[in-house]
Amino acid sequence: MLMLVDCSNCRTPLQLPPGANSIRCAICHAITRIADPRSAPHPPSSSHHSSAQTSSHNYNLPPPPNAAAPPSPYNHAPPGPPPNPHGRKRALICGVSYKNTVNELKGCINDAKCMKFMLMNRFKFPESSIVMLNEEEVDPYKRPTKHNMRMALYWLIQGCQPGDSLVFHFSGHGSQQRNYTGDEVDGFDETLCPLDFETQGMIVDDEINATIVKPLPHGAKLHAIIDACHSGTVLDLPFLCRMDRYGKYVWEDHRPRSGTWKGTSGGEAISFSGCDDNQTSADTSALSKITSTGAMTYAFIQAIERGHGNTYGHILNAMRSTIRNTDSEIDGGLVTTLIGMLLTGGSVGGLRQEPQLTANEPFDVYTKPFSL
Protein backbone atom coordinates (compact mmCIF):
# COMPACT_ATOMS: atom_id res chain seq x y z
CA MET A 1 0.00 0.00 0.00
CA LEU A 2 1.36 3.43 -1.00
CA MET A 3 1.83 6.12 1.63
CA LEU A 4 1.14 9.76 0.81
CA VAL A 5 3.69 12.29 2.08
CA ASP A 6 4.18 15.99 1.46
CA CYS A 7 7.35 17.27 -0.15
CA SER A 8 9.53 18.77 2.59
CA ASN A 9 10.10 21.86 0.45
CA CYS A 10 7.11 22.69 -1.78
CA ARG A 11 4.53 20.51 0.03
CA THR A 12 3.46 18.74 -3.17
CA PRO A 13 1.80 15.40 -2.26
CA LEU A 14 4.07 12.46 -3.17
CA GLN A 15 3.20 8.77 -3.10
CA LEU A 16 5.97 6.85 -1.34
CA PRO A 17 6.46 3.33 -2.78
CA PRO A 18 6.64 0.37 -0.36
CA GLY A 19 10.00 0.06 1.37
CA ALA A 20 11.37 3.41 0.24
CA ASN A 21 12.88 5.69 2.88
CA SER A 22 13.23 8.77 0.70
CA ILE A 23 11.71 10.26 -2.42
CA ARG A 24 12.71 13.12 -4.67
CA CYS A 25 10.11 15.66 -5.77
CA ALA A 26 9.93 16.05 -9.54
CA ILE A 27 8.65 19.61 -9.13
CA CYS A 28 11.27 21.27 -6.89
CA HIS A 29 13.80 18.36 -6.75
CA ALA A 30 13.95 18.42 -2.95
CA ILE A 31 14.52 15.08 -1.22
CA THR A 32 12.08 14.11 1.52
CA ARG A 33 13.30 11.49 3.98
CA ILE A 34 10.92 9.21 5.84
CA ALA A 35 12.02 8.15 9.33
CA ASP A 36 11.52 4.52 10.33
CA PRO A 37 10.55 4.41 14.02
CA ARG A 38 11.77 0.82 14.27
CA SER A 39 15.34 1.92 13.53
CA ALA A 40 15.57 5.15 15.47
CA PRO A 41 19.18 6.25 15.99
CA HIS A 42 20.74 6.19 19.43
CA PRO A 43 20.93 9.55 21.21
CA PRO A 44 24.13 11.43 20.34
CA SER A 45 26.92 11.02 22.89
CA SER A 46 27.72 14.72 22.80
CA SER A 47 26.35 17.99 21.51
CA HIS A 48 28.93 17.94 18.73
CA HIS A 49 26.96 15.19 16.99
CA SER A 50 23.63 16.98 16.87
CA SER A 51 24.15 18.85 13.59
CA ALA A 52 21.86 18.12 10.64
CA GLN A 53 22.78 15.32 8.28
CA THR A 54 24.26 16.27 4.95
CA SER A 55 22.37 15.71 1.71
CA SER A 56 24.62 12.77 0.79
CA HIS A 57 22.77 10.70 3.39
CA ASN A 58 19.59 11.12 1.37
CA TYR A 59 20.89 8.92 -1.41
CA ASN A 60 21.11 5.20 -1.92
CA LEU A 61 24.83 4.44 -2.08
CA PRO A 62 26.49 1.91 -4.38
CA PRO A 63 27.85 -1.10 -2.52
CA PRO A 64 31.62 -1.35 -1.93
CA PRO A 65 33.45 -3.84 -4.13
CA ASN A 66 32.88 -7.50 -3.18
CA ALA A 67 30.36 -6.51 -0.50
CA ALA A 68 27.55 -8.89 0.30
CA ALA A 69 24.26 -7.67 -1.11
CA PRO A 70 22.00 -6.29 1.66
CA PRO A 71 18.37 -7.36 1.77
CA SER A 72 16.33 -5.21 -0.57
CA PRO A 73 13.04 -3.58 0.45
CA TYR A 74 11.80 -4.07 -3.11
CA ASN A 75 11.91 -7.87 -3.19
CA HIS A 76 8.23 -8.28 -2.39
CA ALA A 77 6.42 -10.58 -4.81
CA PRO A 78 3.38 -9.15 -6.59
CA PRO A 79 0.09 -11.04 -6.40
CA GLY A 80 -0.80 -13.56 -9.05
CA PRO A 81 0.51 -16.86 -10.38
CA PRO A 82 4.29 -17.36 -10.54
CA PRO A 83 5.82 -16.57 -13.93
CA ASN A 84 6.65 -19.35 -16.35
CA PRO A 85 10.44 -19.84 -16.19
CA HIS A 86 10.43 -20.91 -19.85
CA GLY A 87 8.56 -17.93 -21.25
CA ARG A 88 8.97 -16.66 -24.77
CA LYS A 89 11.50 -14.06 -25.84
CA ARG A 90 10.42 -11.45 -28.35
CA ALA A 91 12.12 -8.27 -29.59
CA LEU A 92 11.36 -5.26 -31.78
CA ILE A 93 14.41 -3.43 -33.10
CA CYS A 94 14.07 -0.14 -35.00
CA GLY A 95 16.99 1.63 -36.65
CA VAL A 96 16.03 4.82 -38.49
CA SER A 97 18.74 6.61 -40.46
CA TYR A 98 16.51 9.06 -42.45
CA LYS A 99 18.77 8.45 -45.41
CA ASN A 100 19.07 11.17 -48.06
CA THR A 101 17.33 13.76 -45.88
CA VAL A 102 18.62 16.70 -43.86
CA ASN A 103 17.95 14.58 -40.75
CA GLU A 104 20.26 11.72 -41.80
CA LEU A 105 22.01 9.77 -39.05
CA LYS A 106 24.97 7.50 -39.70
CA GLY A 107 24.96 4.93 -36.92
CA CYS A 108 21.37 3.81 -36.43
CA ILE A 109 21.27 0.80 -38.72
CA ASN A 110 24.54 -0.40 -37.20
CA ASP A 111 22.88 0.04 -33.80
CA ALA A 112 20.04 -2.22 -34.87
CA LYS A 113 22.34 -4.90 -36.27
CA CYS A 114 24.51 -4.94 -33.17
CA MET A 115 21.52 -5.15 -30.85
CA LYS A 116 20.11 -8.10 -32.81
CA PHE A 117 23.50 -9.82 -32.72
CA MET A 118 23.71 -9.42 -28.95
CA LEU A 119 20.13 -10.54 -28.27
CA MET A 120 20.62 -13.70 -30.34
CA ASN A 121 24.10 -14.65 -29.14
CA ARG A 122 24.21 -13.38 -25.57
CA PHE A 123 20.57 -13.72 -24.49
CA LYS A 124 19.42 -16.53 -26.83
CA PHE A 125 16.54 -14.69 -28.50
CA PRO A 126 15.39 -16.78 -31.49
CA GLU A 127 15.89 -14.92 -34.77
CA SER A 128 12.31 -15.79 -35.70
CA SER A 129 11.14 -13.84 -32.63
CA ILE A 130 12.94 -10.61 -33.60
CA VAL A 131 11.31 -8.02 -35.86
CA MET A 132 13.79 -5.58 -37.37
CA LEU A 133 12.62 -2.33 -38.96
CA ASN A 134 15.15 -0.32 -40.97
CA GLU A 135 15.57 1.27 -44.37
CA GLU A 136 17.72 -1.56 -45.69
CA GLU A 137 14.78 -3.96 -45.52
CA VAL A 138 13.29 -4.82 -48.92
CA ASP A 139 9.91 -5.72 -47.44
CA PRO A 140 7.87 -2.46 -47.34
CA TYR A 141 6.25 -3.60 -44.08
CA LYS A 142 9.67 -3.75 -42.41
CA ARG A 143 10.59 -0.15 -43.09
CA PRO A 144 10.42 2.05 -39.96
CA THR A 145 7.41 4.15 -40.99
CA LYS A 146 4.97 5.39 -38.37
CA HIS A 147 2.34 2.82 -39.38
CA ASN A 148 4.81 -0.07 -39.37
CA MET A 149 6.28 0.95 -36.01
CA ARG A 150 2.80 1.13 -34.50
CA MET A 151 1.88 -2.29 -35.84
CA ALA A 152 5.19 -3.74 -34.63
CA LEU A 153 4.62 -2.37 -31.11
CA TYR A 154 1.22 -4.09 -31.05
CA TRP A 155 2.89 -7.29 -32.27
CA LEU A 156 5.44 -7.07 -29.45
CA ILE A 157 2.82 -7.10 -26.69
CA GLN A 158 0.21 -9.29 -28.40
CA GLY A 159 -0.44 -12.53 -26.52
CA CYS A 160 2.10 -11.70 -23.81
CA GLN A 161 2.02 -14.23 -20.97
CA PRO A 162 3.67 -14.55 -17.53
CA GLY A 163 7.33 -15.47 -18.01
CA ASP A 164 7.68 -13.68 -21.36
CA SER A 165 10.61 -11.31 -21.93
CA LEU A 166 10.09 -8.43 -24.37
CA VAL A 167 12.69 -5.99 -25.71
CA PHE A 168 12.09 -2.76 -27.61
CA HIS A 169 15.15 -1.06 -29.07
CA PHE A 170 14.95 2.22 -30.98
CA SER A 171 17.83 4.14 -32.50
CA GLY A 172 16.97 7.36 -34.29
CA HIS A 173 15.73 10.88 -33.68
CA GLY A 174 13.76 11.82 -30.59
CA SER A 175 11.99 15.08 -29.94
CA GLN A 176 9.41 16.82 -27.74
CA GLN A 177 6.05 18.43 -28.26
CA ARG A 178 3.89 20.57 -25.99
CA ASN A 179 1.65 18.66 -23.57
CA TYR A 180 -1.68 20.29 -22.73
CA THR A 181 -3.09 17.71 -20.29
CA GLY A 182 -0.86 18.58 -17.35
CA ASP A 183 0.49 15.01 -17.17
CA GLU A 184 4.11 16.02 -17.86
CA VAL A 185 6.21 17.67 -15.15
CA ASP A 186 8.15 19.71 -17.72
CA GLY A 187 5.10 20.46 -19.89
CA PHE A 188 6.34 18.40 -22.84
CA ASP A 189 5.64 14.95 -24.23
CA GLU A 190 8.66 13.00 -25.41
CA THR A 191 8.44 11.53 -28.91
CA LEU A 192 10.13 9.10 -31.28
CA CYS A 193 10.55 10.08 -34.92
CA PRO A 194 9.70 7.37 -37.47
CA LEU A 195 11.07 7.51 -40.99
CA ASP A 196 8.10 9.53 -42.28
CA PHE A 197 7.63 11.78 -39.23
CA GLU A 198 7.72 14.96 -41.32
CA THR A 199 4.50 13.95 -43.11
CA GLN A 200 2.88 11.44 -40.73
CA GLY A 201 3.92 12.86 -37.38
CA MET A 202 5.82 11.49 -34.40
CA ILE A 203 4.96 8.68 -31.98
CA VAL A 204 4.20 10.21 -28.57
CA ASP A 205 5.21 8.73 -25.21
CA ASP A 206 1.54 8.46 -24.17
CA GLU A 207 0.88 6.09 -27.09
CA ILE A 208 3.99 4.01 -26.39
CA ASN A 209 2.97 3.67 -22.75
CA ALA A 210 -0.61 2.71 -23.62
CA THR A 211 0.55 0.16 -26.21
CA ILE A 212 3.36 -1.79 -24.55
CA VAL A 213 3.47 -0.73 -20.87
CA LYS A 214 -0.10 -0.69 -19.56
CA PRO A 215 -1.09 -4.14 -20.92
CA LEU A 216 2.06 -5.88 -19.59
CA PRO A 217 0.76 -8.75 -17.40
CA HIS A 218 2.10 -10.04 -14.09
CA GLY A 219 5.20 -12.19 -14.52
CA ALA A 220 6.17 -10.63 -17.87
CA LYS A 221 8.98 -8.14 -18.30
CA LEU A 222 9.69 -5.43 -20.84
CA HIS A 223 13.07 -3.81 -21.38
CA ALA A 224 13.38 -0.77 -23.63
CA ILE A 225 16.71 0.55 -24.90
CA ILE A 226 15.98 3.94 -26.43
CA ASP A 227 18.90 5.63 -28.22
CA ALA A 228 17.46 9.04 -29.05
CA CYS A 229 17.46 12.63 -27.84
CA HIS A 230 14.89 13.72 -25.24
CA SER A 231 14.40 10.06 -24.39
CA GLY A 232 14.64 10.05 -20.59
CA THR A 233 10.96 9.30 -19.99
CA VAL A 234 9.86 8.33 -23.50
CA LEU A 235 7.99 5.29 -22.15
CA ASP A 236 6.23 7.52 -19.60
CA LEU A 237 7.21 5.16 -16.80
CA PRO A 238 6.29 6.45 -13.32
CA PHE A 239 9.75 6.48 -11.71
CA LEU A 240 13.15 7.81 -12.82
CA CYS A 241 16.40 6.79 -11.17
CA ARG A 242 18.31 10.03 -10.59
CA MET A 243 21.94 8.97 -10.20
CA ASP A 244 24.95 11.19 -9.63
CA ARG A 245 28.51 10.73 -10.92
CA TYR A 246 29.43 8.69 -7.84
CA GLY A 247 26.67 6.11 -8.26
CA LYS A 248 24.42 7.47 -5.51
CA TYR A 249 20.78 7.58 -6.53
CA VAL A 250 17.21 8.38 -5.56
CA TRP A 251 13.99 7.54 -7.38
CA GLU A 252 12.05 10.53 -8.69
CA ASP A 253 8.27 10.29 -8.75
CA HIS A 254 7.07 11.18 -12.27
CA ARG A 255 3.48 10.00 -11.91
CA PRO A 256 1.03 12.52 -13.39
CA ARG A 257 -0.57 14.79 -10.82
CA SER A 258 -3.89 14.08 -12.56
CA GLY A 259 -3.73 10.52 -11.27
CA THR A 260 -3.51 8.96 -14.76
CA TRP A 261 -2.10 5.44 -14.44
CA LYS A 262 1.20 5.01 -16.29
CA GLY A 263 2.25 1.66 -14.82
CA THR A 264 1.72 -1.90 -16.00
CA SER A 265 -0.94 -4.54 -15.39
CA GLY A 266 1.39 -6.29 -12.94
CA GLY A 267 4.41 -6.81 -15.19
CA GLU A 268 7.85 -5.24 -14.96
CA ALA A 269 8.82 -2.43 -17.35
CA ILE A 270 12.31 -0.93 -17.29
CA SER A 271 13.88 1.46 -19.78
CA PHE A 272 17.45 2.54 -20.48
CA SER A 273 17.51 5.77 -22.47
CA GLY A 274 20.21 7.81 -24.10
CA CYS A 275 19.78 11.05 -22.17
CA ASP A 276 17.50 13.10 -19.97
CA ASP A 277 14.31 14.68 -21.30
CA ASN A 278 15.83 18.16 -21.41
CA GLN A 279 19.09 17.20 -23.11
CA THR A 280 19.67 18.28 -26.71
CA SER A 281 17.32 20.81 -28.27
CA ALA A 282 14.66 19.63 -30.68
CA ASP A 283 16.16 21.59 -33.58
CA THR A 284 19.72 20.28 -33.16
CA SER A 285 21.27 19.39 -36.52
CA ALA A 286 21.62 15.73 -37.40
CA LEU A 287 25.40 15.80 -37.46
CA SER A 288 25.61 16.98 -33.86
CA LYS A 289 23.72 13.88 -32.77
CA ILE A 290 25.39 11.20 -34.86
CA THR A 291 27.89 10.20 -32.22
CA SER A 292 25.54 10.40 -29.26
CA THR A 293 22.92 8.37 -31.08
CA GLY A 294 25.35 5.50 -31.59
CA ALA A 295 27.16 6.00 -28.32
CA MET A 296 24.28 4.94 -26.08
CA THR A 297 23.79 1.59 -27.84
CA TYR A 298 27.55 1.16 -27.90
CA ALA A 299 27.81 1.84 -24.17
CA PHE A 300 24.95 -0.55 -23.34
CA ILE A 301 26.38 -3.41 -25.38
CA GLN A 302 29.89 -2.81 -24.07
CA ALA A 303 28.63 -2.88 -20.47
CA ILE A 304 27.15 -6.32 -21.12
CA GLU A 305 30.13 -7.64 -23.08
CA ARG A 306 32.66 -6.50 -20.48
CA GLY A 307 30.89 -8.15 -17.58
CA HIS A 308 29.18 -5.13 -16.04
CA GLY A 309 25.70 -6.45 -16.68
CA ASN A 310 24.98 -8.20 -13.40
CA THR A 311 22.74 -5.43 -11.97
CA TYR A 312 20.95 -2.37 -13.36
CA GLY A 313 23.07 -0.02 -11.28
CA HIS A 314 26.30 -1.48 -12.59
CA ILE A 315 25.05 -1.25 -16.19
CA LEU A 316 24.04 2.39 -15.79
CA ASN A 317 27.34 3.31 -14.15
CA ALA A 318 29.32 1.47 -16.83
CA MET A 319 27.38 3.17 -19.62
CA ARG A 320 27.95 6.61 -18.15
CA SER A 321 31.62 5.90 -17.60
CA THR A 322 32.04 4.75 -21.21
CA ILE A 323 30.34 7.86 -22.55
CA ARG A 324 32.37 10.16 -20.27
CA ASN A 325 35.62 8.52 -21.29
CA THR A 326 35.24 8.30 -25.05
CA ASP A 327 38.93 8.87 -25.64
CA SER A 328 39.84 5.55 -24.04
CA GLU A 329 40.93 2.73 -26.30
CA ILE A 330 38.17 0.60 -27.79
CA ASP A 331 38.88 -3.09 -27.63
CA GLY A 332 36.97 -6.34 -27.28
CA GLY A 333 35.34 -8.94 -29.45
CA LEU A 334 33.15 -8.92 -32.53
CA VAL A 335 30.36 -6.86 -31.03
CA THR A 336 32.75 -4.17 -29.85
CA THR A 337 34.36 -4.13 -33.31
CA LEU A 338 31.00 -3.65 -34.98
CA ILE A 339 29.87 -0.90 -32.69
CA GLY A 340 33.17 0.88 -33.00
CA MET A 341 31.81 2.08 -36.34
CA LEU A 342 29.16 4.04 -34.47
CA LEU A 343 31.76 6.39 -33.01
CA THR A 344 33.17 7.62 -36.31
CA GLY A 345 32.29 10.64 -38.34
CA GLY A 346 30.48 12.82 -35.81
CA SER A 347 30.78 15.35 -33.05
CA VAL A 348 31.83 14.18 -29.59
CA GLY A 349 29.76 16.86 -27.91
CA GLY A 350 26.72 14.59 -27.59
CA LEU A 351 28.76 12.08 -25.61
CA ARG A 352 28.38 14.30 -22.56
CA GLN A 353 24.76 13.24 -22.35
CA GLU A 354 24.03 10.82 -19.53
CA PRO A 355 21.94 7.66 -19.97
CA GLN A 356 18.87 7.36 -17.75
CA LEU A 357 16.98 4.51 -16.11
CA THR A 358 13.20 4.53 -15.61
CA ALA A 359 10.85 1.85 -14.29
CA ASN A 360 7.24 1.14 -13.44
CA GLU A 361 8.23 0.85 -9.77
CA PRO A 362 11.37 1.63 -7.76
CA PHE A 363 13.85 -1.10 -6.86
CA ASP A 364 17.35 -1.48 -5.46
CA VAL A 365 19.48 -0.99 -8.58
CA TYR A 366 22.57 -2.58 -6.99
CA THR A 367 20.93 -5.83 -5.89
CA LYS A 368 18.32 -6.48 -8.58
CA PRO A 369 19.87 -8.84 -11.18
CA PHE A 370 19.67 -7.80 -14.82
CA SER A 371 18.34 -10.35 -17.27
CA LEU A 372 16.59 -10.34 -20.63
Side-chain angles (χ1 to χ4, degrees):
M1 181 176 181
L2 297 175
M3 181 171 69
L4 196 65
V5 298
D6 289 337
C7 172
S8 58
N9 182 54
C10 70
R11 315 308 297 174
T12 299
L14 306 172
Q15 290 185 351
L16 187 74
N21 57 13
S22 66
I23 192 165
R24 182 170 184 164
C25 177
I27 305 297
C28 70
H29 304 293
I31 297 168
T32 301
R33 299 190 66 207
I34 309 300
D36 186 348
R38 295 169 299 178
S39 58
H42 296 291
S45 58
S46 71
S47 59
H48 298 290
H49 296 122
S50 60
S51 59
Q53 291 180 322
T54 62
S55 61
S56 64
H57 294 151
N58 296 330
Y59 289 81
N60 298 286
L61 298 173
N66 303 320
S72 170
Y74 303 113
N75 284 341
H76 57 280
N84 175 9
H86 305 293
R88 299 172 303 169
K89 294 176 182 280
R90 183 183 288 188
L92 168 61
I93 301 174
C94 300
V96 195
S97 65
Y98 316 93
K99 191 173 181 180
N100 299 323
T101 73
V102 295
N103 303 304
E104 184 168 355
L105 297 172
K106 302 298 183 183
C108 298
I109 293 179
N110 286 333
D111 280 357
K113 291 178 178 179
C114 293
M115 185 61 65
K116 180 178 180 181
F117 181 94
M118 185 186 72
L119 290 179
M120 290 175 58
N121 291 276
R122 174 71 65 174
F123 295 102
K124 307 306 178 186
F125 276 64
E127 185 171 16
S128 60
S129 296
I130 299 175
V131 166
M132 175 104 83
L133 302 184
N134 66 60
E135 288 124 297
E136 290 186 353
E137 294 287 347
V138 177
D139 185 343
Y141 292 102
K142 292 188 176 181
R143 291 175 63 79
T145 63
K146 183 175 183 178
H147 175 77
N148 288 348
M149 283 182 60
R150 279 176 159 175
M151 293 302 100
L153 286 168
Y154 281 116
W155 165 85
L156 183 66
I157 195 70
Q158 186 178 25
C160 183
Q161 300 292 326
D164 289 357
S165 176
L166 312 180
V167 171
F168 172 43
H169 174 243
F170 176 86
S171 179
H173 279 302
S175 189
Q176 292 180 304
Q177 64 184 35
R178 176 67 68 179
N179 171 274
Y180 295 99
T181 66
D183 282 351
E184 295 283 347
V185 171
D186 60 359
F188 289 91
D189 283 313
E190 284 65 51
T191 64
L192 298 181
C193 299
L195 178 61
D196 54 355
F197 76 95
E198 291 182 308
T199 58
Q200 300 303 311
M202 299 176 285
I203 298 179
V204 184
D205 52 7
D206 296 324
E207 178 181 348
I208 299 171
N209 181 277
T211 303
I212 62 175
V213 174
K214 286 185 181 179
L216 195 69
H218 165 72
K221 58 185 177 181
L222 165 70
H223 286 89
I225 300 99
I226 308 297
D227 198 345
C229 294
H230 304 291
S231 55
T233 62
V234 77
L235 261 66
D236 250 5
L237 293 173
F239 295 96
L240 182 144
C241 179
R242 186 67 69 187
M243 182 178 287
D244 68 12
R245 293 175 65 92
Y246 304 101
K248 297 180 294 184
Y249 72 94
V250 293
W251 285 98
E252 281 185 0
D253 187 348
H254 281 248
R255 282 171 293 189
R257 301 179 72 175
S258 65
T260 303
W261 177 247
K262 292 292 186 177
T264 69
S265 295
E268 183 176 68
I270 298 173
S271 175
F272 287 97
S273 51
C275 61
D276 209 348
D277 288 343
N278 62 0
Q279 289 184 321
T280 303
S281 60
D283 60 352
T284 301
S285 66
L287 284 177
S288 71
K289 297 194 293 187
I290 289 173
T291 308
S292 62
T293 298
M296 185 269 176
T297 300
Y298 164 79
F300 179 80
I301 293 177
Q302 182 165 271
I304 303 297
E305 292 297 307
R306 292 188 173 179
H308 302 298
N310 52 335
T311 71
Y312 292 87
H314 288 111
I315 291 175
L316 190 61
N317 274 315
M319 291 172 65
R320 291 180 166 197
S321 177
T322 296
I323 289 178
R324 283 196 297 262
N325 301 303
T326 54
D327 293 331
S328 61
E329 183 180 358
I330 299 172
D331 56 14
L334 176 59
V335 173
T336 305
T337 302
L338 285 171
I339 57 186
M341 294 186 295
L342 308 179
L343 298 181
T344 61
S347 163
V348 298
L351 294 182
R352 299 190 185 102
Q353 299 174 7
E354 292 207 309
Q356 303 293 327
L357 176 69
T358 58
N360 66 298
E361 63 178 15
F363 57 88
D364 188 330
V365 302
Y366 290 112
T367 62
K368 184 177 179 64
F370 171 79
S371 64
L372 294 180

